[in-house]
Each structure stands twice: as C-alpha cells, then as structure tokens.
Amino acid sequence: MWRKPVSKRSVISISLRLLALAALLTSPFFARTSGAQGQSPAYVGKFTLTQQIHWGKTVLQPGKYTVSLNSTVAPIIGMIRTVAGDGVSIVMSQARTGNKNGVNGLLIKEKDGQPTVHSLALAELGVVLIYDPTLARETVQEARVSQVVPVMWAKK
C-alpha cells in the first residue's frame, strides 16, 4: 500500500502541539516546585486590556493580566494570569526576532474580525516573541487594524 508522504509542515505542527500539551500537563508541577525553590521567572510583565482579544486559542476578556516567562530559551512558554494570580492560559512562542524599536507591548492585528495577539515585544530583553507568524509577516499596507497594548515590566 502506498502511504501519502508526510510534509515537514505537518511534522512541525504536530511537534508544536505535543510540546504545548507537555507544557500544559507539566506546568502545575513546575509552578509548585519553582516557587518552593525560590526561582524567579526570566520576565514578568503587566498589561491591561480594554477590549476582548484572542491570543492563540484563548479569548482574554477586558481586565488586568500578567504574563511570565520562565526562560528566554526556546521553546519560550508564557503563563498568562489575572492580577489575582488565577491561571488563564499558557502560550508558546513559535519564533523570535530581535526588538530594535524599543517597544514593550502586545502587538495586535485583526484576524477573522477579532483583535488577535500576533507578537509580544519586549524591549528590555531585546526580543519579539511571535505567536501568529502569518499576522506578524503582514505588511503595513494591508487593510488590517494594528494596535499595541503596553506591557510594563513588573517590579518585584
């Protein structure tokens, strides 16, 4: 029997999904153990949403949130929490690039009529973490709405 060849894109997509699932399943364990060991996240930022936005498969309602990154080494996994500390979502950056514009913020464009986070720019770390490569690649001339939600470095 002939089998349809598996594309590289399919293998990468499946690998990313499995990695995200592993991160989701192990994050409660690591959250407990890292707190017990006194380890600090590599980055913690605060942001306020005035409207509903999509970030990956999560819909974030208006409100105040934190995003923490336990590492700046790939894969970069972020934990989004309410300011009360309730876990909302885990997001994994698909790529990263240098941040030369000095912006700290959620970079948002419209996708399917909904404001969607495509990147997280962190000037303090000199990186832009990309969550939706298609939106991140679009040029300014395209007819999609762009906006930036400021992310402030959280003081410890």
Side-chain angles (χ1 to χ4, degrees):
M1 287 239 156
W2 288 96
R3 292 176 62 172
K4 183 179 175 184
V6 178
S7 72
K8 184 176 180 180
R9 183 180 217 140
S10 294
V11 171
I12 291 171
S13 176
I14 291 168
S15 297
L16 286 173
R17 287 182 187 153
L18 288 173
L19 187 59
L21 178 61
L24 181 65
L25 294 174
T26 59
S27 65
F29 170 76
F30 287 119
R32 285 191 300 268
T33 59
S34 68
Q37 296 172 356
Q39 295 174 344
S40 296
Y43 178 84
V44 177
K46 296 180 181 181
F47 61 96
T48 301
L49 298 177
T50 58
Q51 64 179 342
Q52 173 181 292
I53 65 161
H54 293 249
W55 192 341
K57 295 185 180 199
T58 301
V59 177
L60 298 174
Q61 299 301 321
K64 295 181 179 189
Y65 296 89
T66 64
V67 59
S68 59
L69 308 175
N70 286 338
S71 171
T72 56
V73 179
I76 300 175
I77 298 172
M79 175 67 91
I80 302 170
R81 297 181 183 275
T82 64
V83 290
D86 299 325
V88 176
S89 182
I90 295 174
V91 292
M92 183 173 67
S93 173
Q94 297 180 19
R96 70 187 263 173
T97 181
N99 181 351
K100 301 195 183 354
N101 61 9
V103 171
N104 278 325
L106 298 176
L107 307 182
I108 298 171
K109 286 188 181 174
E110 194 172 296
K111 179 178 182 179
D112 299 327
Q114 301 295 321
T116 303
V117 173
H118 65 79
S119 303
L120 171 59
L122 301 171
E124 290 100 346
L125 301 179
V127 299
V128 176
L129 305 177
I130 300 170
Y131 296 95
D132 189 325
T134 304
L135 284 180
R137 277 192 295 265
E138 288 184 348
T139 61
V140 175
Q141 293 87 13
E142 294 192 14
R144 296 193 188 241
V145 175
S146 294
Q147 73 181 77
V148 176
V149 173
V151 175
M152 306 306 290
W153 187 280
K155 304 292 182 207
K156 293 186 180 182

